[in-house]
Amino acid sequence: MNTESRAGQAAPENASSSQDGLSKRIAELERKLEAKEKTIVALKKRVLARDESATSPLAVLEQNIALGKVVALKTRELSEERRELQETLDKLGRTQAMLLQAQKMESIGQLAAGIAHEINTPTQYVRDNLTFVHRAKEGADRVFDKAFEVIEAARAAGLARDLITEFDELVRRTKFAYLREEFPLALEQSLEGMERISSIVAAMKEFSHPSAGEKEAVDLRALIETTATVTRNEWKYVAELETDFDDDVPPVPCLRDEIGQVVLNLVVNATHAISDTLKTGEREKGRITIRLRKHGSNFVDILVVDDGDGIPEAIRNKIFNPFFTTKGVGKGTGQGLAIAYSIVVDKHQGQIFFETEVGVGTTFIVRLPIADTGGD
């Protein structure tokens, strides 16, 4: 197995291992909870039994106080372990979401890389041939110009009149003047289209390339541009997307493909937020802006801004919960923002949060440390 294959499998294997560990931890906590509950039941039975057999009210009171303290202590321990179990269950949910997404992205990445490779070769020779035709046309134009000069000279001298008449008719029928005028534009547009295809293929190859589970210094400008290209089909029908990068932003140590996934998820989320506002027909498109800023001396901020309807206050505390979604059945899994949160906070020791105003829009901020803090 080659290096890229091993790298592509690393994330699912790590996520699977983490999930197994969490499952064992949950089973252990459930056994402890069951034992605690049995202890409390036994203590309560002992209190009742002593109440029935005791003859001294003072003795009963002392026993009740002592056992009450024990029950209270055990109840607190039980509540703490319930809380720990809930936290572990939440973490398991996030891990399962990460595992599903990792497996999905591994398959998509392999497919995208294969498609990009297959498209690249025919694209290259089509572009080369178009470039050749474009250059050849310059020579052909000089020949045509000289040929027309000869025809006009023959016409003036009264030579080969029948042939000149046939030539004039052929030029008219084939709309030769129109073809000469439009041909350069058609070639230019074709070359631009091939350049566009080449940039998309390059973006697909870059985006799908695994980071082998190790952080590296990444130019976030290039990463954002690549992600914008990959997601173009998602946003181009509902929004204009623009970028705004500060010049003083340094490379940031991160898992390039996973931060790319975060930006992708936020762009898709912004697209959906804007799409919901276009149903009224008051405007044709919204706007998404991706900004890159240095925050103080220790952090870099990626800001994804949309002019959608904003996030209602009632659901703001649920936005990063696994599987939470406001979309209809089949339109969203509720994993995108939860996965983004896990990648930024757990793997990069960064922050992800949002600022929103109903009716105005939302800004998601991803804050990454400039120095590697040694996350997983």
Side-chain angles (χ1 to χ4, degrees):
M1 184 181 293
N2 60 31
T3 304
E4 289 193 5
S5 299
R6 289 196 295 272
Q9 293 175 354
E13 289 176 357
N14 291 339
S16 178
S17 176
S18 176
Q19 184 180 7
D20 291 341
L22 286 171
S23 298
K24 292 178 181 178
R25 178 61 176 158
I26 288 173
E28 179 185 351
L29 287 170
E30 287 176 340
R31 286 195 297 271
K32 287 184 178 181
L33 286 173
E34 185 178 358
K36 296 285 185 183
E37 289 173 346
K38 288 181 178 179
T39 300
I40 291 173
V41 171
L43 288 170
K44 288 180 177 179
K45 287 181 178 180
R46 186 180 300 177
V47 169
L48 293 174
R50 290 189 178 183
D51 284 348
E52 293 174 357
S53 61
T55 56
S56 169
L58 181 59
V60 171
L61 179 60
E62 291 176 346
Q63 291 172 0
N64 285 344
I65 292 173
L67 289 173
K69 290 180 179 179
V70 173
V71 170
L73 176 62
K74 295 297 181 182
T75 301
R76 285 196 299 272
E77 292 177 354
L78 182 62
S79 298
E80 179 63 23
E81 291 186 359
R82 284 186 184 279
R83 183 190 62 77
E84 186 178 351
L85 176 60
Q86 185 59 50
E87 290 178 354
T88 306
L89 285 170
D90 291 342
K91 188 173 182 181
L92 177 61
R94 290 193 295 270
T95 302
Q96 288 174 330
M98 285 291 293
L99 177 60
L100 289 171
Q101 188 70 7
Q103 292 170 337
K104 178 181 177 182
M105 288 306 298
E106 179 188 9
S107 300
I108 293 175
Q110 292 173 347
L111 178 62
I115 292 173
H117 179 74
E118 291 299 322
I119 292 175
N120 191 56
T121 300
T123 297
Q124 184 65 44
Y125 66 67
V126 170
R127 184 174 59 185
D128 290 346
N129 288 340
L130 284 172
T131 302
F132 167 77
V133 172
H134 188 269
R135 292 173 179 171
K137 179 191 173 297
E138 296 176 358
D141 279 341
R142 289 194 295 271
V143 173
F144 288 142
D145 291 339
K146 186 59 66 176
F148 276 103
E149 289 180 12
V150 172
I151 293 295
E152 292 304 319
R155 192 194 311 276
L159 301 175
R161 292 178 179 176
D162 292 341
L163 289 176
I164 291 174
T165 300
E166 290 178 13
F167 177 82
D168 290 341
E169 179 63 18
L170 184 61
V171 168
R172 186 188 64 79
R173 286 204 314 268
T174 59
K175 299 180 180 179
F176 187 77
Y178 172 78
L179 293 177
R180 286 195 72 183
E181 181 180 348
E182 293 297 321
F183 193 70
L185 179 60
L187 270 178
E188 183 178 340
Q189 290 177 340
S190 297
L191 285 169
E192 288 178 359
M194 295 311 298
E195 288 295 333
R196 181 68 185 154
I197 292 173
S198 296
S199 68
I200 292 172
V201 169
M204 288 174 63
K205 291 173 70 175
E206 177 72 16
F207 188 82
S208 62
H209 185 70
S211 57
E214 295 184 2
K215 293 179 182 177
E216 57 183 339
V218 173
D219 180 0
L220 294 180
R221 299 175 188 80
L223 183 144
I224 291 171
E225 293 287 2
T226 295
T227 306
T229 299
V230 170
T231 57
R232 178 179 171 80
N233 191 63
E234 187 77 22
W235 52 259
K236 69 178 181 179
Y237 298 109
V238 300
E240 300 292 342
L241 188 147
E242 62 182 24
T243 56
D244 178 15
F245 303 150
D246 277 358
D247 295 331
D248 63 344
V249 176
V252 173
C254 63
L255 301 171
R256 178 182 46 76
D257 54 345
E258 299 208 10
I259 293 301
Q261 181 67 42
V262 170
V263 176
L264 182 146
N265 288 354
L266 294 179
V267 170
V268 170
N269 188 73
T271 301
H272 292 171
I274 291 172
S275 178
D276 291 340
T277 69
L278 302 182
K279 297 175 182 177
T280 61
E282 295 180 1
R283 57 175 182 164
E284 293 184 1
K285 284 187 176 183
R287 181 171 297 278
I288 299 172
T289 304
I290 307 178
R291 298 192 177 105
L292 194 57
R293 300 283 186 267
K294 190 175 179 183
H295 182 81
S297 58
N298 298 319
F299 297 93
V300 167
D301 285 354
I302 303 172
L303 300 92
V304 180
V305 185
D306 70 69
D307 60 355
D309 267 344
I311 302 172
E313 188 171 354
I315 64 171
R316 291 176 186 175
N317 62 342
K318 302 176 184 178
I319 289 299
F320 296 111
N321 290 357
F323 307 109
F324 173 77
T325 180
T326 58
K327 301 179 183 67
V329 176
K331 293 185 178 180
T333 63
Q335 297 182 31
L337 292 178
I339 289 171
Y341 182 91
S342 179
I343 290 173
V344 174
V345 176
D346 298 335
K347 294 190 175 183
H348 292 83
Q349 291 68 55
Q351 303 173 50
I352 180 170
F353 53 96
F354 60 87
E355 298 170 353
T356 187
E357 183 177 349
V358 174
V360 177
T362 302
T363 299
F364 277 90
I365 299 106
V366 175
R367 182 162 294 163
L368 297 173
I370 294 175
D372 188 1
T373 54
D376 295 336

